[in-house]
Amino acid sequence: MERKRSDIIAEAIEGLIFDGSVADGDRLDETLLAEWFNVSRTPVREALHRLAASGLAEHIPRRGVFVRQPGPVELFEMFAVMAEMEAICARLAAQRISDAALEELRDANQRCLEAVEDNQPDAYYAENERFHAIIYRESGNGFLEQECARLHKRLQPFRRIQLRVRGRLRQSMAEHEAIVAALAEGRAEDAAAAIKGHVAVQGEKFHHLMASLRPAAGAQSPLPRRAQASEA
């Protein structure tokens, strides 16, 4: 399936934010970004909306859209809540999941494995999103599903970038296998514990995540300065 142009633009800007090429507080000019990416303003506007939804940018009325890097405490708290919410989903899904949904999970895992073997973290993440969405749905609680999807979207860029840590793809794959096994056998508490450990970013995992977000020394943005200049 062809990816939306706005998603490609959003991920390109995310990369610039994460490697320090675009600094916290820089203004992202919609018109100039459209010129730089050689697109209309519509996909750029959609990309900036996505960045704002994930917390990587902030729209200030009458001033524009500005880069906003969440601090370590905020990130830790969001991941802690996400882990607890997904644990509830897995606990409920272990009692309610259908055979068809288990096959969907196994198919998503197979595609994840192919991405691991090809060392394609972005392809892995796309199937990883599908994997988690199935579990949200199979909880049988529509409100919980919606809230998980909303927070998942907020954390999307951070969940994706931590997959680039060396060895993380295979570790994540093994965690997926443990989650599916617990769900298939109806072991609710094991499923909850497995997915909570999979999502949480405590200890070394959190250290790696924060290191990946640290600006690179001497990084220079490939964007024209006027497209990402801070306000005077």
Side-chain angles (χ1 to χ4, degrees):
M1 183 174 67
E2 187 175 354
R3 299 174 67 207
K4 290 178 61 178
R5 189 170 295 177
S6 60
D7 288 341
I8 295 171
I9 294 169
E11 288 173 18
I13 299 173
E14 285 170 7
L16 297 175
I17 293 171
F18 288 145
D19 71 12
S21 297
V22 181
D24 191 34
D26 278 351
R27 182 168 60 86
L28 298 169
D29 187 286
E30 182 181 301
T31 301
L32 297 172
L33 285 168
E35 292 177 9
W36 177 252
F37 285 106
N38 194 29
V39 296
S40 71
R41 291 171 63 179
T42 298
V44 172
R45 189 177 300 119
E46 292 174 354
L48 295 180
H49 179 75
R50 168 176 156 172
L51 291 171
S54 71
L56 278 179
E58 180 180 11
H59 179 264
I60 302 176
R62 297 184 297 279
R63 290 179 61 196
V65 178
F66 296 81
V67 174
R68 178 187 175 276
Q69 276 274 27
V73 173
E74 183 180 358
L75 263 182
F76 183 85
E77 290 176 345
M78 285 192 291
F79 269 101
V81 171
M82 184 85 262
E84 293 291 347
M85 290 172 66
E86 294 211 23
I88 296 171
C89 285
R91 187 178 292 112
L92 293 172
Q95 302 164 21
R96 303 171 178 176
I97 194 165
S98 67
D99 289 341
L102 279 171
E103 285 307 308
E104 286 185 74
L105 283 177
R106 292 185 178 113
D107 178 68
N109 257 3
Q110 178 58 38
R111 294 175 185 274
C112 282
L113 180 59
E114 292 168 4
V116 171
E117 292 173 346
D118 294 337
N119 193 29
Q120 294 291 331
D122 288 339
Y124 183 95
Y125 183 75
E127 292 303 324
N128 180 69
E129 279 197 310
R130 181 162 75 101
F131 180 90
H132 286 269
I134 294 166
I135 296 173
Y136 303 162
R137 184 192 72 211
E138 292 302 303
S139 72
N141 185 310
F143 178 78
L144 179 61
E145 179 184 2
Q146 290 177 5
E147 290 302 299
C148 282
R150 182 185 61 80
L151 185 52
H152 187 110
K153 185 175 183 180
R154 176 80 185 273
L155 288 170
Q156 185 180 60
F158 307 102
R159 293 180 76 149
R160 186 173 62 250
I161 198 169
Q162 57 100 16
L163 290 173
R164 298 181 182 275
V165 173
R166 186 182 303 237
R168 178 57 191 149
L169 284 180
R170 292 196 178 277
Q171 181 186 20
S172 179
M173 187 72 228
E175 291 164 1
H176 275 201
E177 295 287 359
I179 293 164
V180 173
L183 290 172
E185 296 169 13
R187 292 183 280 111
E189 293 307 318
D190 288 345
I195 204 164
K196 182 177 178 179
H198 174 63
V199 175
V201 288
Q202 300 176 6
E204 192 68 11
K205 196 191 289 188
F206 189 67
H207 169 76
H208 285 313
L209 174 62
M210 295 312 300
S212 69
L213 302 181
R214 201 166 292 140
Q220 293 186 351
S221 173
L223 293 179
R225 283 303 306 168
R226 61 197 187 114
Q228 43 89 36
S230 299
E231 276 200 326

